[in-house]
Amino acid sequence: MERTCYYFPIGLLLATSMVVIGAADIITDTSAIVALRDHIVSDPHLILTKNWSISFSVCDWIGIICDSGRQRVVALNISNMGFAGTIPPQLGNLSFLVSVDMSNNIFHGYLPEGMSHLRRLSFMALSNNNLTGEIPSWLGILDRLQYLSLRENNFFGDLPTNICDNLPNLKELDLSGNQLSGQML
Ligand SMILES: *[C@@H]1O[C@H](CO)[C@@H](O)[C@H](O)[C@H]1NC(C)=O
Ligand SMILES: *[C@@H]1O[C@H](CO)[C@@H](O)[C@H](O)[C@H]1NC(C)=O
Ligand SMILES: *[C@@H]1O[C@H](CO)[C@@H](O)[C@H](O)[C@H]1NC(C)=O
Ligand SMILES: *[C@@H]1O[C@H](CO)[C@@H](O)[C@H](O)[C@H]1NC(C)=O
């Protein structure tokens, strides 16, 4: 009897703190997605206006896929949405993100270094945008990457020589259609 009395509040306390932690996670992911929304300056299909409403969970927004518990964003697919804008560093706060597909839009500017925090990322498609800068060396940290396409952007500079060594799981790498020079080793 006494044991039950002791265990019950502890169990309750654990359950409560787990809910709070879970809520903090979706709050972090929501602010990252909202930062992305705020950096999009062109929305020809009115996706942001009509669907990405802050009155609903980001898990209900087109292109955002959450885990089954709706606590973390695990995939982002905003390909072919006609979006123009920049990629905010906050995107790197989506620490459970496994897949990002932003291909066929008009994102410009640099890939923010904050994205180097996306350590679970295995799929990254940013092809057919207007991104620029050198191919960042921190991509070599994302060692779960299996697919990486930066095709048809405005990246310049030397080809990263060690990217294949650093990314042991990489099955497909497409950097074509940029202004890169040098050789891939
Ligand atoms: C956004 O669109 C999706 C897919 O069409 C739909 O399931 C969801 O309810 C919409 N969300 C809002 C907030 O309108
Ligand atoms: C993203 O969505 C498009 C259109 O629905 C689809 O063709 C593409 O395969 C999706 N990308 C990923 C990584 O699932
Ligand atoms: C999210 O990312 C930004 C920029 O990288 C950072 O300043 C911020 O502290 C991060 N954390 C949260 C919880 O938003
Ligand atoms: C892409 O960027 C280049 C130079 O950075 C610019 O001249 C061009 O207009 C941009 N294209 C689009 C579709 O925004």
Side-chain angles (χ1 to χ4, degrees), residues 23-41:
D25 291 341
I26 195 64
I27 288 167
T28 304
D29 286 6
T30 297
S31 60
I33 298 291
V34 168
L36 174 65
R37 190 186 64 174
D38 291 346
H39 282 73
I40 294 171
V41 294

Side-chain angles (χ1 to χ4, degrees), residues 84 105-109 129-132 153-154:
N105 287 291
I106 323 168
F107 283 99
H108 66 276
N129 278 284
N130 211 356
L131 298 164
T132 190
N153 278 283
N154 282 319

Side-chain angles (χ1 to χ4, degrees), residues 69-90:
R70 296 168 63 87
Q71 293 304 332
R72 301 305 309 230
V73 172
V74 293
L76 175 66
N77 186 350
I78 52 170
S79 63
N80 289 294
M81 291 191 176
F83 289 154
T86 53
I87 303 176
Q90 288 91 334

Side-chain angles (χ1 to χ4, degrees), residues 50-51 53 56 60 62:
K50 291 191 168 158
N51 189 271
S53 160
F56 294 85
D60 293 325
I62 292 176

Side-chain angles (χ1 to χ4, degrees), residues 47 50-57 59-63:
I47 291 162
K50 291 191 168 158
N51 189 271
W52 284 29
S53 160
I54 203 68
S55 327
F56 294 85
S57 164
C59 301
D60 293 325
W61 294 3
I62 292 176

